[in-house]
Amino acid sequence: MTTLTKPTIPFSEAPWISGLPSPYFKESHKKLREFVRRWTDQHLFPNAARLEESGKADPKIYAQAAKDGLLIPFALGAKIPRKLYDEFAEGIKLPAGIEPEEWDHFHDYVLCDELHRVGNGSAIMSMYGGLAYGAGPIVNFASKKLQERFLPDLLTGRKRIALAITEPKAGSNVANLSTTAELTPDGRHFIINGTKKWITNGVWSDYLTTAVRTSGKAGDSNGITFIIIPVRGPGSEGVELKQMKMTGSSASGTTFVDFDQVKVPRENVIGKEGEALKYIFYNFNHERMTIAIFANRYARVCLEDAIAHSIRREVFGKKLIENPVVRYEIGHMARQVESLQAWIEMLLYQQNNLTVEQANVLTGGQTAALKAHAGIVLENVCSGCTQLLGGLGLTRGGTGARIEQIWREVKAFTIPGGSASVMIDLAVRQQLKLIQSLAQEGRKSGSKL
Ligand SMILES: Cc1cc2nc3c(=O)[nH]c(=O)nc-3n(C[C@H](O)[C@H](O)[C@H](O)COP(=O)(O)OP(=O)(O)OC[C@H]3O[C@@H](n4cnc5c(N)ncnc54)[C@H](O)[C@@H]3O)c2cc1C
């Protein structure tokens, strides 16, 4: 039986970590948790500040993550297809020796949650911010031939990939994208022209899973195609990558991409031409869930450091924590985090017991609302914890290091992956649609619903 490292600060860990009963977490989750905890302590904590300062990813950390099997779940998803693992992972074991068929949404949660304990996006996003979202379309929709060409290098960390959808004029409204892909007269290549913006890990990548327009015009939801574009080495002529300067998480390698007459073989198309919008929506639920998990852990990190500080710090002759007003502030932050945790676990359970297609329909609205809520909770909690730290909350390094870093990253939880207001509106629209279709089904089957 695995013994879990117990928390020493209240609200710094989910209740199951403190030994409370949970219907969700089994021995393999505990094993994984301890493995990723040690991994994060060893490889991320000592390097986080350096990565943020340099604005560069560290290839040695990436190689270590590959060797220890951390990249495989990020590439293959919350449920790992045994067949793809056997064919393409080249014998690399999953973290903590977990078997692919054992891996579920709660393992996915534990992996994301534990890595984010470092409280520094440069350490984490520089590692998997591209792979986690760029490999999905290949895993779920590409031909066997494309999978054979790309997955071995991606799962073993020899090559890197990122997801390129957003453009200067197409953000929340994906259908507005206008990067063009025109067939050559012999029909064997596409010529790509256009720009992509804010592409996480773009500058660290060898390929971009890119959404391009093979027909129609900006605003049409049809005619968008996913194609794998090499952005480094042979075949990348005409591609220009420029690292963007962003607020926090500098080593994420957020990138502006220019495609100027880039010639890409037609066989690099993922799935069917013109179907990419469907593929993009397919993965949204998982992407939004991971963002909620990251935000939840970041909020706990803020609470952990702020509560530890309030226990130590004496002001006006008593410890901060001895002031009822301080405890009141902490309590209000804690209740937001604990309820966010419970919502995450409930949705994880549902998604674990549904196919992706079912989960997209039945939990899509709730997951959109969860993603928005998680960002808002993190923003509130990080702001409150910064306040509790006083000047230390605004100081890089030392006691407030993680809180100050997270404050710079907070908005990266409420804007990318679906902006909060768009998510909340979407949640209501999805739930209305769902309730109508359930009512229709009920009428057909004679139920009173
Ligand atoms: C750090 C970072 C990393 C990113 N990584 C990637 C990546 O790897 N790949 C990729 O393709 N893209 C990436 N993006 C882009 C990201 O997905 C977009 O920024 C996001 O979709 C929002 O688009 P936008 O910035 O163009 O905002 P806009 O679409 O211009 O929206 C601006 C604001 O308007 C409001 N708004 C818009 N529409 C509505 C509406 N219908 N109702 C109410 N309010 C609305 C929202 O508050 C929104 O925040 C990243 C962005 C950032 C900042």
Side-chain angles (χ1 to χ4, degrees), residues 6 14-23 25 30:
K6 290 284 190 304
W16 69 281
I17 305 289
S18 311
L20 286 166
S22 160
F25 297 96
K30 293 179 185 169

Side-chain angles (χ1 to χ4, degrees), residues 129 163-167 170-173 197-200 246 254 412 415-419 421-422:
L163 181 69
I165 298 174
T166 308
E167 298 178 359
S172 306
N173 182 6
K197 199 169 181 181
W198 297 302
I199 307 310
T200 304
M246 306 295 290
T254 311
I415 295 172
S419 197
S421 24
V422 178

Side-chain angles (χ1 to χ4, degrees), residues 269-289:
V269 166
I270 296 174
K272 291 195 184 134
E273 284 173 26
E275 300 274 303
L277 210 57
K278 217 162 67 190
Y279 305 156
I280 292 170
F281 291 156
Y282 182 88
N283 200 41
F284 268 162
N285 237 18
H286 183 237
E287 178 177 349
R288 287 171 190 156
M289 174 55 88

Side-chain angles (χ1 to χ4, degrees), residues 205-243:
S205 293
D206 300 278
Y207 311 110
L208 295 182
T209 298
T210 312
V212 295
R213 191 163 274 296
T214 41
S215 66
K217 57 180 187 326
D220 294 348
S221 44
N222 294 326
I224 300 172
T225 298
F226 259 145
I227 188 162
I228 303 171
I229 304 182
V231 292
R232 193 191 284 272
S236 66
E237 295 78 11
V239 178
E240 194 185 355
L241 305 174
K242 270 194 222 140
Q243 188 167 357

Side-chain angles (χ1 to χ4, degrees), residues 137-266:
I138 304 177
V139 169
N140 295 314
F141 302 107
S143 63
K144 180 91 199 300
K145 228 167 138 189
L146 268 197
Q147 292 181 337
E148 282 169 352
R149 266 178 66 204
F150 292 100
L151 288 182
D153 281 343
L154 296 177
L155 298 188
T156 55
R158 290 191 292 266
K159 301 273 186 201
R160 299 190 60 160
I161 196 160
L163 181 69
I165 298 174
T166 308
E167 298 178 359
K169 289 189 183 161
S172 306
N173 182 6
V174 177
N176 221 27
L177 67 86
S178 63
T179 291
T180 54
E182 279 177 32
L183 269 182
T184 51
D186 62 5
R188 291 177 54 212
H189 290 83
F190 277 111
I191 304 295
I192 318 272
N193 283 291
T195 51
K196 295 285 170 188
K197 199 169 181 181
W198 297 302
I199 307 310
T200 304
N201 287 187
V203 274
W204 318 137
S205 293
D206 300 278
Y207 311 110
L208 295 182
T209 298
T210 312
V212 295
R213 191 163 274 296
T214 41
S215 66
K217 57 180 187 326
D220 294 348
S221 44
N222 294 326
I224 300 172
T225 298
F226 259 145
I227 188 162
I228 303 171
I229 304 182
V231 292
R232 193 191 284 272
S236 66
E237 295 78 11
V239 178
E240 194 185 355
L241 305 174
K242 270 194 222 140
Q243 188 167 357
M244 298 170 72
K245 290 202 168 161
M246 306 295 290
T247 319
S249 197
S250 64
S252 287
T254 311
T255 302
F256 189 89
V257 188
D258 190 62
F259 299 113
D260 182 11
Q261 297 288 101
V262 182
K263 192 173 178 186
V264 184
R266 195 175 189 178

